[in-house]
Amino acid sequence: MAIEREYGAEQPYWPAGPFKIRLPFIHYRWEWPEAMQAMVMFVVSLAMIPLLEKYLGMPYEAALAFTFIAGIGYLLPALLGVPLVPGWITPAIPVVILFLSAFEPGPEAIKAMFALQILVTLIFLILGLTGWGAKLVKVIPNSLKAGIIIGAGIAAMMGELKAGGRVDNTPISLIVGSVLSAYILFSMSFKNILEQSAIARKIANFGMVPGMILAMIVGWSVGEYPLPDIQWGITQPDFGLMAQYLVFNLGFPGWDVFLLAIPTALIAYVIAFGDIIVGFTLCERVDQVRKDEVIETNVNRVHTVTAIRNAIHAFFAPWPGLAGPLWTAAHATVAERYAMGRKAMDSIYSGGGTFWIMGMIAVFILPLVSIFKPVLPIALSLTLILTAYICIMVGMEQLKNPAERGVAGIVAVTLAMPDPKSTVYAVIIGVALYFLIERPRLMGKHKTEDEFMFADPQESEEEKAASK
């Protein structure tokens, strides 16, 4: 029986330095709806396996062991006091793939992935411990941030639509699944249906799962994917084989690889910080509805926990998805049910904690893993396609004037180029265009473009001098 929380208090925990430890059945109850969702949604975590096979050059059995290590990382936020449902830095995946494409799949690519993930670890750790994270993101020009996000979305979509890509090879299943997922998640007409239909609200709670399941059924029906060979028992990830693909056996990368990885690491952090803001916004919304629990949103703790997860990955499971602070679709689903009241979900931690504990268990359920094994590319493709839509939508919303939109557009196109060094070019071009185009004065205080557009043409010389 979990420790009972007093009305209006924070969920019980054990203090441990900067962390707040919460264990299932002791500090929070088991939530069956989240457990049932995780039985299907865990397939998204397995969707990283095709990328591990293609870009890091490892066999399926070793890649499956990597997903177990990732599962340990997914448990840490709820365990250590972070109310967000964790995932990958999904919008950064196309950028990471561009970076990895400069290296031969196998030992060289794994070393490069290690270097990138260590840099991401250091960025999160340093900025989290010092509290500089929020300040750094504010310093980065708005056009550069938006351009990076839009460019990541364009790169994700181009990767799926290119000749020989997954959409080209299996168009029917992926188009059907993408259309249904987009309709459920983003359609204005579906939001109107939600107000009138309880069934629609239940469907919406599962996020992209309905679209994923429909895509799989269609893929099997039309022969785009082979039927699964259902096996019974418990999965046995090959940890011995996995060890052969770690830097302890392959050797560590040189400093030149670390230097090449810096732009990609910075871009990944900028995207991840945006995820933190989105996650905290969702928490604050439901916190206003649920007066029975106080949700603590600690930016430094999120940074530290994310750093720990990336460090674990770097040494024991280099991960092209990186370890991100938020899985937007899953967290939004948990927050939606949490808002329904304490009977629906006792605590925000019980929802997120149960979700990934069950997700971890599902990795060992061989019938589930064997069913989804042939259609893992569907889960990855739908994740990237929906991420592309969200990135482009969010990036466009951030742009305030024509100058910012122009600079962001150039940055986005540059970033999306199929060139391993496109991340470096995008950052350099974005910074240069910011100073040359957006700033009326290269140095010192200056007016924004909007202030110039709406300035009074009769302003006196004295007023102009004073404004300087």
Side-chain angles (χ1 to χ4, degrees):
M1 187 71 176
I3 301 173
E4 190 71 18
R5 180 183 72 248
E6 295 183 7
Y7 186 89
E10 190 177 352
Q11 188 70 7
Y13 61 89
W14 292 333
F19 306 115
K20 295 183 176 181
I21 296 177
R22 294 182 174 90
L23 300 176
F25 307 109
I26 296 177
H27 297 107
Y28 60 81
R29 78 184 189 194
W30 186 261
E31 304 287 355
W32 282 109
E34 275 61 47
M36 297 302 295
Q37 289 184 53
M39 295 284 282
V40 177
M41 294 286 278
F42 90 101
V43 70
V44 176
S45 66
L46 297 182
M48 189 55 58
I49 290 177
L51 295 185
L52 293 169
E53 293 174 321
K54 181 176 181 179
Y55 294 99
L56 298 189
M58 63 180 56
Y60 175 85
E61 293 74 15
L64 183 61
F66 271 31
T67 64
F68 172 78
I69 302 299
I72 295 175
Y74 297 141
L75 300 178
L76 292 182
L79 174 67
L80 299 178
V82 175
L84 307 180
V85 179
W88 311 335
I89 309 180
T90 308
I93 291 176
V95 182
V96 174
I97 289 175
L98 284 174
F99 168 72
L100 290 177
S101 65
F103 302 89
E104 186 71 23
E108 295 304 313
I110 292 172
K111 292 178 184 179
M113 192 64 240
F114 170 84
L116 173 60
Q117 203 132 30
I118 282 294
L119 289 176
V120 172
T121 298
L122 292 174
I123 291 172
F124 271 102
L125 186 62
I126 293 171
L127 298 182
L129 294 177
T130 60
W132 292 344
K135 296 179 182 178
L136 175 64
V137 173
K138 289 180 180 178
V139 169
I140 298 174
N142 193 50
S143 56
L144 181 57
K145 287 187 290 186
I148 288 171
I149 295 173
I150 295 170
I154 294 174
M157 203 66 191
M158 288 173 61
E160 296 304 304
L161 296 176
K162 68 182 181 181
R166 282 180 286 267
V167 174
D168 186 33
N169 293 328
T170 56
I172 300 175
S173 54
L174 289 182
I175 290 174
V176 169
S178 299
V179 168
L180 180 60
S181 298
Y183 182 74
I184 291 173
L185 292 172
F186 309 119
S187 172
M188 297 302 296
S189 63
F190 187 73
K191 290 180 180 178
N192 290 328
I193 296 174
L194 291 178
E195 298 177 359
Q196 306 170 7
S197 173
I199 295 177
R201 287 193 291 271
K202 290 181 180 179
I203 293 174
N205 284 341
F206 287 92
M208 62 183 288
V209 170
M212 190 185 306
I213 292 176
L214 179 61
M216 293 174 179
I217 294 173
V218 170
W220 286 323
S221 300
V222 301
E224 289 184 341
Y225 291 92
L227 292 173
D229 177 19
I230 301 177
Q231 303 173 19
W232 301 96
I234 300 174
T235 58
Q236 297 180 349
D238 195 333
F239 294 101
L241 182 61
M242 180 192 80
Q244 299 178 22
Y245 294 88
L246 303 179
V247 291
F248 302 111
N249 288 319
L250 300 176
F252 291 85
W255 289 110
D256 57 327
V257 180
F258 282 96
L259 292 174
L260 189 60
I262 289 175
T264 305
L266 291 174
I267 286 173
Y269 175 77
V270 171
I271 294 172
F273 192 86
D275 284 343
I276 294 174
I277 294 173
V278 171
F280 279 5
T281 300
L282 291 172
C283 286
E284 290 164 3
R285 285 179 182 175
V286 295
D287 194 33
Q288 294 175 1
V289 176
R290 289 281 301 270
K291 302 299 182 183
D292 59 285
E293 179 182 12
V294 173
I295 302 175
E296 182 192 27
T297 52
N298 188 307
V299 175
N300 293 337
R301 187 180 301 142
V302 175
H303 275 72
T304 305
V305 172
T306 305
I308 293 172
R309 291 175 57 217
N310 276 289
I312 292 172
H313 270 296
F315 287 101
F316 301 105
W319 198 251
L322 302 172
L326 182 73
W327 181 1
T328 306
H331 183 70
T333 301
V334 169
E336 181 73 19
R337 223 176 61 78
Y338 175 78
M340 296 178 182
R342 192 165 185 175
K343 289 185 178 180
M345 184 185 297
D346 180 49
S347 168
I348 194 73
Y349 297 97
S350 62
T354 300
F355 182 91
W356 271 124
I357 291 173
M358 193 66 237
M360 182 76 155
I361 294 172
V363 171
F364 290 94
I365 302 176
L366 185 56
L368 279 177
V369 174
S370 60
I371 287 174
F372 290 126
K373 182 178 178 180
V375 290
L376 289 180
I378 289 179
L380 179 60
S381 287
L382 290 185
T383 299
L384 291 173
I385 290 170
L386 295 175
T387 296
Y389 179 91
I390 294 172
C391 285
I392 294 171
M393 176 183 66
V394 171
M396 293 295 288
E397 286 179 348
Q398 294 181 6
L399 300 170
K400 301 173 183 177
N401 56 57
E404 286 190 353
R405 287 191 282 272
V407 173
I410 298 297
V411 171
V413 172
T414 305
L415 184 67
M417 289 192 309
D419 186 320
K421 295 182 180 179
S422 63
T423 53
V424 179
Y425 300 149
V427 172
I428 294 174
I429 290 172
V431 172
L433 290 179
Y434 168 72
F435 281 98
L436 293 173
I437 294 178
E438 293 188 57
R439 291 177 64 98
R441 301 171 65 186
L442 292 181
M443 302 296 292
K445 186 177 179 181
H446 62 278
K447 291 183 178 181
T448 65
E449 180 176 335
D450 289 337
E451 289 173 327
F452 272 102
M453 289 174 63
F454 297 104
D456 183 359
Q458 303 300 323
E459 183 181 26
S460 67
E461 292 298 326
E462 290 79 5
E463 290 172 326
K464 291 180 180 178
S467 67
K468 295 179 181 179

